[in-house]
Amino acid sequence: MDSLLQSGIKVSIYDGVKMDAPDTTVMEGAQLAESIGADAVIGCGGGSSLDTAKGIALYVTNKKNVTIKKMIHFDPTNPLILAPALKTIMIPTTSGTGSESTFVAVITDTETHQKCGCIVWANAAIVDPDLTLGLGKTITAYTGMDAFSHCNECLCNVMPNPHSDTLALSSMERIYKWLPVAVDDPNCKEARYNLAIASNFAGIAFQDSQVNVGHAMAHALGARLHIPHGIGCALVTPSVIELVAAARPEIYGKVAKIFELEISSVEELPTKLADAVRSFNRRIGIPSMKDLGFTREQVLSTVTYALGEMMRMGCIVPQDEAVLADMMAKVYDNYQ
């Protein structure tokens, strides 16, 4: 704020951001932006802050013609023609969401508790690892595994490409090496640098290749049981790996090498790698659903929501209700 004010730029703050970016906060922020005649929005904070900022920038220029509900329920079969958003600059203070480099803002419909998405991207980003120094161990772990899940789902998308594969594998390698270091020493600059790059790479990768069934499951857990997104991503990723690793054995063989695993056959790859990710989750302190106070039945109750998430169709291995139920069961049964 000081640097902006010293440059003669007027600044107002919207500080009503909440976890999972509720649509009500986007409406409030847009009302403030409109009332002061804002011509740009700076998002500073974690993923919810960045998504809220992008949502505000889009809604303020479209609110006279489009309801918030219609804006956030993006329909690829009948896309809205929207006015351009206000200019935006994203300044992440966590290393996980990659929202500074993606074309979507994930906004929660507070009527249905559904996580939705509107198409809007930042004009610029300032990725400064120093802004993540001292970030608490839990948020460091959760956001790091959010980035890891982005990478994993890029690798198992129906439309992978060399660009997204390369960025995703580089990001995974950095997360495997440096996330435990940052959890143990929140002020380690080298760890924070590598995690900031990993998060940014992962965001760019899923611009190209897209997340799929893992995020459908994580969204279901978040929407129905209200757990932080990063925890949901961490817990579902091993189930996703068990589903998909044998479908791309060469690429997942590279992931296994990152985890320092000896793999003797394609048949053992999915289970060994999934278990290695579970062990990594334990190492960095990811809680189980049981630790969080949920029952197996509650976890399985989210399957219907996940089944309705169309993004899951982007996975190289199709899923029906039975497959998703088995994957959700493993989230609970195989990590306690």
Side-chain angles (χ1 to χ4, degrees):
M1 279 187 64
D2 288 343
S3 65
L4 291 168
L5 292 169
Q6 288 167 12
S7 299
I9 298 173
K10 294 180 181 179
V11 180
S12 292
I13 292 179
Y14 176 69
D15 60 0
V17 173
K18 297 178 182 177
M19 188 175 81
D20 295 327
D23 53 12
T24 51
T25 62
V26 172
M27 295 167 71
E28 290 172 0
Q31 185 174 7
L32 173 62
E34 186 177 46
S35 70
I36 63 172
D39 56 8
V41 180
I42 298 174
C44 184
S48 294
S49 296
L50 304 190
D51 282 348
T52 301
K54 291 198 293 185
I56 289 169
L58 185 63
Y59 188 56
V60 73
T61 59
N62 288 281
K63 61 196 295 286
K64 291 180 180 178
N65 301 312
V66 178
T67 65
I68 187 72
K69 185 179 284 287
K70 196 164 186 179
M71 187 186 87
I72 66 175
H73 285 269
F74 176 71
D75 180 1
T77 64
N78 186 28
L80 287 172
I81 298 175
L82 297 174
L86 295 181
K87 299 295 185 184
T88 55
I89 300 172
M90 298 293 113
I91 308 176
T93 61
T94 65
S95 297
T97 178
S99 185
E100 75 278 2
S101 56
T102 69
F103 63 78
V104 65
V106 178
I107 310 296
T108 298
D109 183 330
T110 51
E111 284 188 10
T112 63
H113 304 290
Q114 183 179 0
K115 287 194 172 187
C116 310
C118 50
I119 304 303
V120 56
W121 49 88
N123 296 97
I126 300 169
V127 181
D128 183 354
D130 283 357
L131 296 179
T132 66
L133 289 171
L135 187 68
K137 294 184 176 184
T138 54
I139 302 299
T140 296
Y142 303 167
T143 53
M145 289 309 293
D146 184 12
F148 188 89
S149 72
H150 295 160
C151 298
N152 179 58
E153 290 168 54
C154 287
L155 298 179
C156 65
N157 192 273
V158 291
M159 293 187 294
N161 63 73
H163 183 223
S164 60
D165 283 354
T166 300
L167 289 173
L169 290 169
S170 174
S171 178
M172 284 176 150
E173 190 168 10
R174 292 172 191 267
I175 291 167
Y176 177 75
K177 181 176 181 179
W178 292 107
L179 184 54
V181 177
V183 168
D184 292 339
D185 179 6
N187 290 301
C188 176
K189 286 200 170 190
E190 190 172 6
R192 293 300 186 184
Y193 171 84
N194 278 280
L195 291 177
I197 293 295
S199 174
N200 186 259
F201 279 10
I204 296 170
F206 96 70
Q207 284 271 102
D208 286 355
S209 190
Q210 296 302 302
V211 293
N212 46 79
V213 65
H215 268 59
M217 294 170 68
H219 283 179
L221 291 170
R224 292 290 178 257
L225 304 181
H226 306 293
I227 67 170
H229 180 63
I231 295 180
C233 288
L235 294 178
V236 304
T237 294
S239 291
V240 177
I241 288 172
E242 285 184 283
L243 178 73
V244 303
R248 283 196 87 191
E250 289 187 9
I251 204 76
Y252 277 97
K254 293 179 180 179
V255 180
K257 286 183 179 179
I258 291 172
F259 277 78
E260 304 172 89
L261 297 176
E262 292 289 336
I263 303 295
S264 59
S265 68
V266 172
E267 288 73 24
E268 71 176 14
L269 174 61
T271 300
K272 287 188 75 170
L273 183 54
D275 285 342
V277 175
R278 291 186 182 103
S279 295
F280 186 75
N281 280 342
R282 293 187 185 97
R283 180 180 171 193
I284 61 174
I286 301 295
S288 68
M289 293 303 292
K290 189 174 182 180
D291 292 334
L292 295 172
F294 296 105
T295 65
R296 189 177 192 270
E297 289 70 27
Q298 285 176 300
V299 173
L300 288 174
S301 72
T302 68
V303 169
T304 301
Y305 184 106
L307 193 66
E309 283 267 358
M310 289 299 101
M311 70 174 67
R312 70 180 181 82
M313 306 299 286
C315 181
I316 52 176
V317 179
Q319 327 91 46
D320 56 17
E321 186 171 3
V323 170
L324 283 174
D326 180 63
M327 294 172 74
M328 279 294 192
K330 288 176 179 176
V331 168
Y332 190 89
D333 296 339
N334 293 0
Y335 189 78
Q336 294 190 24

